[in-house]
Amino acid sequence: MGREIDLRNRLATRLTEARRQDLHAKAADISNAMPVNQAIAIESFSHETGNPSKIVATGQTPTKDQYIKRALDYVQDIGPALGFAPTQATEYVPDPNVQKTSTGATAVYLQQHYKGIPIFQAAQTVRFSPNDTLTDTVGDTITVDQPLPVAPRLSVQEAVLKAAQHVAEPTPDEMGEKDQFGEAMDHPKVDVQGFQPKVTAMFASRADHPCVLEAGPFGSEFKANLIWFPAATGLLLGWEIIVTMPGYEGQFRTIVDADNGEILYCKDLVKSLFRANVVFPDGSTPRQMKTLPIPLADLTLPAPPPGSLPNGFPDPWVASDRTIGNCVRAHLGVNGPSFQGLPQGGDVVFDPASPTGDEQKVLNIFYLNCFIHDFFYLLHFREADGNFQTDKFGRGGIGGDPVDARAHSGVVRGTANMITPVEGTNPIMNMGLVSSTNRHTAFDASVVFHEFTHGVTNRLVAGPQNTSALEAPQSIGMGEGWGDYIACTILKKDVVGDWVVGRAQGIRGFPYDSAFPDHFGKLGAGRYAADPNSGQPRDEHNVGEIWCATLREMNRNIGDSLGLQLVVDALKLAPPNPSFLEMRDSILTALDNQLVAGKLSPPEHDAARVGVWKAFAKFGMGPAAQSNGSQLNGIVADFQTP
């Protein structure tokens, strides 16, 4: 199993319905005791801790500065709703560095302690909006039901020796492994015979007893401190020790049980390679082993110019060894587990036993969400634009909203869908089974890409805080069309969902080729008709087909790369609830901006403008086209170019 160990029972759930109701009741009691118009509400729970993972605050008074004090006061006030037991102190230590995003939003980081000793990976991020209003807190809380003594039986020297002995020799299953280049993995070994750890500095006045010990035969001094470790049976007192291998060829965070010397946790902190065996682009092809993150060249877009991306991008896809990362948390069903990779030759490998089983479904939606996150990042759907990330790395925007991607074993409503609330709240993606073919949407990239694009367009049109900017009849149709357009463009095909439904034509009325038969002038009639009561399309997917066909024709005229960039730029320039014609004009404005910015020469701009107009005129959206705003009436087609 390698030297890495984690004795937390991650797959166990402490969240019961009774626990959920009890915490909701505590939140209601706290709200009732607050000043008028102030309240809190639990928005989501952690299945591992049984406590809230997000609590939203409303009615807080905006106040500049004093963020740390306000954060500490707030968690103290809502301690029972966070999950603190009646006899447990609401004990946090703040990070003195307060983070500010480019929009002025603020984050305060609080580490949970018990009796002055930190609890492993238990922390809260208290967030403030750009106008300095406290909005919510996100993170994990550990409940301590019974008082625990601080009585380590092992000295720090004994614990360091245990940790050193554990990591000194690679295990048999680590030997003979090769790296991703086919080279033998050279696992360092350390001779610990006769090694006696010696303390060089100790801060005995602090509850966690931080210490520094001589390096001995290792690569650097040992750093150690007491820590609480959340095991399945409750909190255990341990020694947390950083062990550095010679030459810095490895560095292990190791937690040793302070009572009996058992290794509770060991993690190599030197960046591992993550590899995943995935189905791409759909179930008609065998699985492929991919290194994560994939190279930017594999995203089908031109290499961005130097300096246009943050240092180190693409950012890591995997947080540790599960299908959980900065931009997506993929798991089975509503509350089911994520999929865990296994150590292999220094790497972490995600390789489900069955290529069609539930674990593969979870892995696949994780991979596809990460892929298209980076794809849109290259097109400038980034942190400040409201993209989906836990950590925004100080690049702007509000964090804490990775995609909650759910692979359902069976059928779900609509087969596949995406819900996208305002920035800072997780979008939810549901991928289900097509019962007629017994094929799963998690194995069809065109379906996953389509659904993810709903999230992008909802965040970009009128900004990430407006959740009703794509609800007019033409707008809602374009939402479907954009999803098909992105999927078809990435996968270089003219249909979507063809594999999962087992039909070459896919799930739409016509392929998106140059022979697509319908146009803007047909909106409001036939398969593009509106419901007489609501005015909404009887089937928004049908309306979206005309929009997608137009954009695909535009790409054929001006190229995929420029077409994609114009579409994403136009989303940012669009009014709320735009019509087809307003989006056409936004695309033309985005094209003109390419000229102003010097990204296109005048001849290139002029040629592209001809190509854009040619596509829109072909589908009845020439300069004289008309409609009653974004409604499906008053439609007048124009097939002429300017």
Side-chain angles (χ1 to χ4, degrees):
M1 58 179 279
R3 287 169 285 186
E4 293 197 343
I5 292 174
D6 187 351
L7 294 190
R8 290 175 295 171
N9 191 359
R10 289 188 178 185
L11 296 181
T13 178
R14 293 174 172 83
L15 183 61
T16 63
E17 186 57 30
R19 177 65 172 170
R20 191 190 298 265
Q21 295 302 323
D22 178 59
L23 289 170
H24 277 306
K26 286 182 167 63
D29 290 342
I30 292 168
S31 295
N32 291 334
M34 285 181 159
V36 176
N37 297 327
Q38 290 189 18
I40 64 169
I42 299 172
E43 188 167 292
S44 58
F45 288 86
S46 164
H47 292 270
E48 288 78 13
T49 68
N51 289 324
S53 56
K54 182 175 183 179
I55 297 182
V56 175
T58 55
Q60 294 284 318
T61 303
T63 308
K64 286 193 70 67
D65 302 324
Q66 293 190 308
Y67 298 108
I68 291 177
K69 181 181 184 304
R70 291 165 63 196
L72 288 170
D73 289 346
Y74 174 69
V75 295
Q76 188 73 36
D77 291 342
I78 68 167
L82 283 168
F84 283 85
T87 58
Q88 178 187 2
T90 307
E91 188 178 349
Y92 286 101
V93 173
D95 185 330
N97 299 302
V98 174
Q99 294 278 16
K100 281 272 191 182
T101 72
S102 64
T103 62
T106 304
V108 175
Y109 306 114
L110 306 177
Q111 170 66 51
Q112 187 185 353
H113 284 55
Y114 177 68
K115 294 188 175 181
I117 297 170
I119 301 176
F120 182 60
Q121 293 188 355
Q124 293 289 325
T125 299
V126 181
R127 303 189 295 199
F128 299 81
S129 71
N131 72 351
D132 299 310
T133 301
L134 194 156
T135 57
D136 54 23
T137 181
V138 291
D140 286 317
T141 302
I142 299 297
T143 303
V144 184
D145 293 315
Q146 300 295 328
L148 299 173
V150 181
R153 298 177 64 181
L154 251 66
S155 68
V156 66
Q157 296 94 326
E158 292 170 321
V160 166
L161 184 58
K162 291 279 188 183
Q165 291 169 339
H166 177 74
V167 304
E169 292 275 343
T171 57
D173 60 335
E174 291 179 278
M175 305 304 295
E177 295 290 343
K178 297 182 182 295
D179 65 18
Q180 78 275 20
F181 301 103
E183 298 295 317
M185 291 287 292
D186 184 17
H187 294 286
K189 301 179 182 179
V190 181
D191 183 1
V192 295
Q193 186 71 31
F195 172 52
Q196 294 295 323
K198 296 180 181 178
V199 175
T200 60
M202 175 180 285
F203 301 89
S205 61
R206 282 182 42 176
D208 59 340
H209 296 333
C211 305
V212 179
L213 296 92
E214 290 181 355
F218 288 84
S220 182
E221 296 173 318
F222 293 87
K223 294 179 175 62
N225 57 269
L226 288 172
I227 195 168
W228 295 104
F229 183 81
T233 54
L235 282 187
L236 301 177
L237 186 63
W239 285 103
E240 179 184 36
I241 301 156
I242 303 298
V243 185
T244 305
M245 304 301 284
Y248 281 80
E249 292 185 332
Q251 188 176 70
F252 293 86
R253 183 190 312 279
T254 308
I255 299 178
V256 180
D257 192 315
D259 182 64
N260 59 25
E262 182 182 13
I263 305 297
L264 301 173
Y265 182 88
C266 185
K267 174 69 177 174
D268 190 351
L269 303 180
V270 175
K271 185 178 179 181
S272 299
L273 282 175
F274 297 96
R275 293 185 287 137
N277 205 5
V278 298
V279 176
F280 185 84
D282 58 46
S284 66
T285 58
R287 290 189 293 180
Q288 308 164 55
M289 188 64 75
K290 300 278 190 178
T291 299
L292 312 182
I294 62 173
L296 295 183
D298 290 356
L299 296 175
T300 73
L301 289 169
S308 64
L309 290 170
N311 290 334
F313 190 86
D315 297 316
W317 284 9
V318 184
S320 57
D321 60 353
R322 307 192 72 84
T323 51
I324 298 173
N326 195 46
C327 67
V328 58
R329 175 182 180 266
H331 56 101
L332 186 65
V334 175
N335 298 317
S338 55
F339 175 55
Q340 184 170 15
L342 297 175
Q344 188 178 108
D347 298 347
V348 174
V349 179
F350 297 87
D351 192 8
S354 168
T356 58
D358 285 344
E359 290 179 339
Q360 186 70 55
K361 295 166 191 168
V362 171
L363 176 61
N364 238 63
I365 59 172
F366 177 80
Y367 173 82
L368 293 173
N369 272 265
C370 290
F371 177 108
I372 197 164
H373 169 276
D374 285 5
F375 175 86
F376 274 114
Y377 203 98
L378 295 185
L379 294 171
H380 288 265
F381 177 52
R382 301 185 179 179
E383 291 88 355
D385 305 307
N387 74 349
F388 315 126
Q389 293 182 191
T390 301
D391 189 342
K392 294 296 183 87
F393 305 118
R395 301 170 189 162
I398 302 171
D401 59 358
V403 176
D404 181 352
R406 304 172 178 183
H408 298 266
S409 298
V411 175
V412 295
R413 181 177 179 271
T415 305
N417 57 69
M418 179 87 161
I419 302 166
T420 311
V422 296
E423 187 183 15
T425 306
N426 301 86
I428 297 174
M429 174 185 285
N430 292 293
M431 307 304 296
L433 182 75
V434 176
S435 59
S436 62
T437 60
N438 200 33
R439 293 177 175 179
H440 202 282
T441 53
F443 302 140
D444 194 325
S446 69
V447 180
V448 178
F449 291 167
H450 172 101
E451 297 303 336
F452 188 98
T453 303
H454 277 301
V456 176
T457 56
N458 282 329
R459 284 281 169 93
L460 287 184
V461 175
Q465 296 302 316
N466 191 334
T467 61
S468 60
L470 287 176
E471 294 182 358
Q474 289 187 37
S475 305
I476 198 170
M478 284 191 290
E480 300 298 338
W482 280 310
D484 285 2
Y485 163 76
I486 292 294
C488 288
T489 304
I490 294 175
L491 301 173
K492 302 189 184 306
K493 56 195 290 186
D494 291 322
V495 295
V496 293
D498 50 319
W499 174 81
V500 78
V501 298
R503 294 195 304 268
Q505 186 174 299
I507 56 176
R508 306 299 183 223
F510 311 99
Y512 294 122
D513 55 24
S514 290
F516 187 91
D518 290 338
H519 53 77
F520 181 67
K522 293 193 175 183
L523 289 185
R527 64 193 298 264
Y528 309 108
D531 180 271
N533 295 317
S534 67
Q536 291 288 351
R538 286 178 175 164
D539 190 330
E540 62 265 27
H541 301 91
N542 293 348
V543 172
E545 289 181 34
I546 294 175
W547 184 244
C548 177
T550 306
L551 297 183
R552 291 289 292 151
E553 184 72 11
M554 180 184 75
N555 279 22
R556 283 187 280 270
N557 294 343
I558 67 174
D560 283 348
S561 298
L562 179 57
L564 285 163
Q565 192 61 70
L566 295 181
V567 166
V568 173
D569 287 352
L571 290 168
K572 298 180 180 182
L573 300 172
N577 289 296
S579 67
F580 279 35
L581 302 180
E582 287 172 323
M583 284 310 308
R584 174 203 65 190
D585 294 344
S586 293
I587 287 173
L588 289 164
T589 300
L591 176 59
D592 291 343
N593 290 342
Q594 293 273 324
L595 176 64
V596 172
K599 295 186 176 182
L600 291 179
S601 67
E604 290 170 332
H605 166 267
D606 292 347
R609 194 170 182 84
V610 169
V612 171
W613 269 117
K614 184 179 178 181
F616 278 97
K618 176 176 178 174
F619 286 92
M621 286 175 272
Q626 300 175 33
S627 69
N628 288 340
S630 300
Q631 303 304 309
L632 296 179
N633 52 42
I635 304 292
V636 177
D638 176 29
F639 298 95
Q640 303 300 311
T641 56

